[in-house]
Amino acid sequence: MNLPPRFRFQPALAAVLLVLAGCYSRDDVKTDGGAVSETQVENNKTKTPPDNAKVAPDASAPVAEETNASAAPLTQVNVFLEVSGSMEGFMPKPGADASNTRFQQYVAQFLSELNNSPAVSRKVYYRIKEKPYRDSYQQLSGTVRSGIKEPASSTDIPTVLDTLVSNYYDPNTVSILISDFIYSPKNTGAIPYIKTDITDAISRTQRPDLAVSVYGFTSDFQGTFYPAIMTGARKVPNCCDTDIPYYFWVIGPQDAVRRFDAALLAKQPAQQVHYGIKYPRPASSLLNRYQNKGDWYYGEKTASKREAGATYHTVAVQEASAQNPVEFVLGLNLGNMPALYQDVAYLKQNLKLVGQDTDAKIVNVAAATDQTRTSSGPENQYTHFVKVRLTKMARAARPLQVVLNDARPAWVSQWTTQNDSNINQAGPKTFAFASLLDGVSTAVVAGQQAPIFQIPLTLEPAK
């Protein structure tokens, strides 16, 4: 019997709550039987933080540097693992021919690191079926390692997101949702509403400080794959010849999300995207003895003292022309930034120089090398170097800004497909993934991300 696929979208919204059909609601996916006894997690979970926990600082204040509160452990982390039928291929049951998937290896390791991390005071674990069910660390880790015993017949991601934002949102607390995020609209006419439905789910509770970090991973997959789009096969048994994506979503107040990312997910690759997070301005300085060219010097009055650790942001230009251009390098320490914002390809695409009445432009962005890291010069303090060139100078001082714009990284479109019915041919892609993130962006930042950082510089004529 051909039954509806998982994470079904319906084009109409209920009066208050998003009503989308369930995740793989079909007879060929095992459902919760009457013999299974489970206790629903109540929404009146413990909200009182431990006595020694510190509440995150006011998010409306500028984020300039790490504070004592930022250094304190997070009060709580809630981990939600989706256990629908579509997730069985990531967590196959042990057998003579079965081997651990990369999902099992990575998620089990992540759960262990989190459970033992001093960066979080309290860890709480849940299985997500049609609603959250409380587990212990041992139970959830056992599910990852040994497979899903009773896959959910219905899991509604918009409702899950609404639940997380409405009922598990507290100061100094984050929630992590681990899922494949495959959507199955009832018909193609519902596809344009994916963005809207996600926006409504996240926005209903109106959390002004909400932030979301999304991390993308791929894994081998051993089981039945259920396409979101049913134009081809209703299901793909014995799948898959290609890797399948899965995701970590970290949701909570922006300061808590930023600190959790830094403590537990800093080593992740650049397959990530962040919404609504404010980052401290990175340390920076002009470097007048590193790849500089032309007639210029530091314009700061204290530059001649050469104080240890001093930083400089004013370029005093003696002469600049097409025949004798000025080139200077700005060192940046991006070591505390997520990997996305340290990726040289991303920086080259999105790092901009903003100024007026100057032809100054960025001509190169490079990462630190062994040579710069072991140098005795100030360049050893920086992870990245931005080279700027100009050929003419105004008669008066002019401000410049080195700005890192927050743009959607290329991997999002590369991992998105509008038809996953032939997943073995499509490759590692997720149905309508970009539309899903469009909904997040609209809900969190109204679709307009503020710059990640801005470094002010000054160009002035030499005196």
Side-chain angles (χ1 to χ4, degrees):
M1 177 178 178
N2 292 324
L3 296 175
R6 67 182 296 274
F7 291 9
R8 176 172 304 286
F9 273 135
Q10 294 178 0
L13 296 177
V16 177
L17 192 62
L18 293 166
V19 180
L20 304 180
C23 160
Y24 288 137
S25 300
R26 59 175 75 201
D27 289 343
D28 56 358
V29 174
K30 293 189 290 294
T31 62
D32 294 339
V36 177
S37 176
E38 295 177 308
T39 302
Q40 179 182 359
V41 176
E42 299 297 332
N43 288 333
N44 61 346
K45 59 179 178 55
T46 301
K47 292 181 178 292
T48 304
D51 292 340
N52 63 348
K54 297 183 180 180
V55 177
D58 182 1
S60 63
V63 181
E65 59 184 15
E66 293 294 327
T67 64
N68 290 335
S70 296
L74 293 172
T75 301
Q76 182 166 311
V77 169
N78 306 303
V79 181
F80 298 85
L81 174 67
E82 187 210 330
V83 291
S84 68
S86 72
M87 297 290 289
E88 285 189 287
F90 291 115
M91 297 171 276
K93 295 180 175 65
D97 298 327
S99 59
N100 291 336
T101 64
R102 296 199 307 277
F103 176 98
Q104 289 173 302
Q105 295 169 19
Y106 178 78
V107 175
Q109 179 66 28
F110 169 77
L111 293 176
S112 175
E113 291 177 358
L114 171 61
N115 199 57
N116 292 286
S117 174
V120 181
S121 295
R122 186 169 185 259
K123 300 93 173 178
V124 188
Y125 303 91
Y126 303 87
R127 284 166 295 132
I128 283 285
K129 304 179 84 170
E130 73 284 355
K131 53 197 172 188
Y133 292 91
R134 179 73 171 269
D135 266 353
S136 67
Y137 160 71
Q138 291 78 11
Q139 288 171 323
L140 199 69
S141 180
T143 296
V144 171
R145 297 181 183 210
S146 302
I148 304 170
K149 293 181 180 179
E150 294 291 340
S153 58
S154 176
T155 304
D156 174 18
I157 284 295
T159 300
V160 170
L161 293 174
D162 184 359
T163 299
L164 266 57
V165 174
S166 299
N167 301 320
Y168 295 86
Y169 187 99
D170 289 305
N172 216 26
T173 295
V174 301
S175 295
I176 311 164
L177 177 58
I178 303 173
S179 169
D180 59 5
F181 285 91
I182 298 176
Y183 281 76
S184 290
K186 185 175 182 180
N187 55 66
T188 56
I191 293 176
Y193 300 102
I194 293 177
K195 171 186 172 181
T196 300
D197 291 341
I198 295 299
T199 297
D200 290 346
I202 296 175
S203 300
R204 190 178 69 85
T205 317
Q206 295 295 310
R207 303 292 191 184
D209 194 34
L210 179 69
V212 179
S213 285
V214 176
Y215 294 82
F217 307 88
T218 61
S219 173
D220 46 327
F221 187 94
Q222 303 174 22
T224 300
F225 180 84
Y226 298 92
I229 293 297
M230 306 280 287
T231 56
R234 296 281 179 171
K235 60 182 180 179
V236 183
N238 302 317
C239 197
C240 292
D241 296 333
T242 185
D243 288 344
I244 302 298
Y246 68 96
Y247 304 91
F248 283 17
W249 283 37
V250 184
I251 303 171
Q254 70 87 18
D255 182 70
V257 172
R258 177 181 64 84
R259 290 161 54 208
F260 181 86
D261 288 349
L264 276 302
L265 294 168
K267 297 180 181 179
Q268 299 314 309
Q271 279 71 33
Q272 53 189 256
V273 60
H274 307 276
Y275 298 96
I277 303 178
K278 303 170 187 175
Y279 296 98
R281 180 184 292 170
S284 64
S285 180
L286 296 166
L287 303 170
N288 71 343
R289 298 188 179 182
Y290 180 75
Q291 297 187 3
N292 61 305
K293 180 185 291 187
D295 297 325
W296 71 274
Y297 56 86
Y298 296 144
E300 281 83 357
K301 294 180 180 179
T302 58
S304 60
K305 296 181 180 180
R306 298 280 180 176
E307 296 178 357
T311 59
Y312 305 98
H313 295 87
T314 299
V315 179
V317 179
Q318 292 181 317
E319 180 186 357
S321 65
Q323 294 74 29
N324 296 293
V326 164
E327 291 185 357
F328 57 87
V329 172
L330 177 70
L332 297 174
N333 188 344
L334 305 181
N336 292 326
M337 289 285 182
L340 173 63
Y341 305 133
Q342 299 186 46
D343 182 67
V344 171
Y346 183 90
L347 293 172
K348 286 184 175 181
Q349 185 70 28
N350 298 294
L351 198 65
K352 305 299 181 184
L353 190 66
V354 180
Q356 294 182 347
D357 197 20
T358 176
D359 69 345
K361 61 181 180 180
I362 295 173
V363 293
N364 192 38
V365 179
T369 64
D370 290 341
Q371 183 177 2
T372 61
R373 284 187 284 265
T374 59
S375 170
S376 60
E379 60 267 23
N380 63 19
Q381 303 173 41
Y382 301 103
T383 63
H384 293 76
F385 303 94
V386 181
K387 180 178 287 189
V388 176
R389 176 185 297 153
L390 72 151
T391 63
K392 59 183 180 180
M393 181 62 208
R395 294 182 179 181
R398 293 289 184 268
L400 289 179
Q401 292 272 354
V402 176
V403 180
L404 180 60
N405 292 320
D406 196 358
R408 172 170 289 177
W411 73 270
V412 172
S413 60
Q414 293 166 359
W415 286 29
T416 298
T417 181
Q418 297 305 313
N419 189 338
D420 62 350
S421 60
N422 296 306
I423 191 65
N424 282 318
Q425 287 71 42
K429 296 181 184 297
T430 299
F431 173 73
F433 182 60
S435 297
L436 186 155
L437 293 188
D438 286 339
V440 178
S441 178
T442 300
V444 176
V445 294
Q448 297 293 324
Q449 285 277 64
I452 301 302
F453 62 75
Q454 301 178 70
I455 307 295
L457 302 174
T458 300
L459 289 177
E460 66 179 27
K463 298 176 183 179

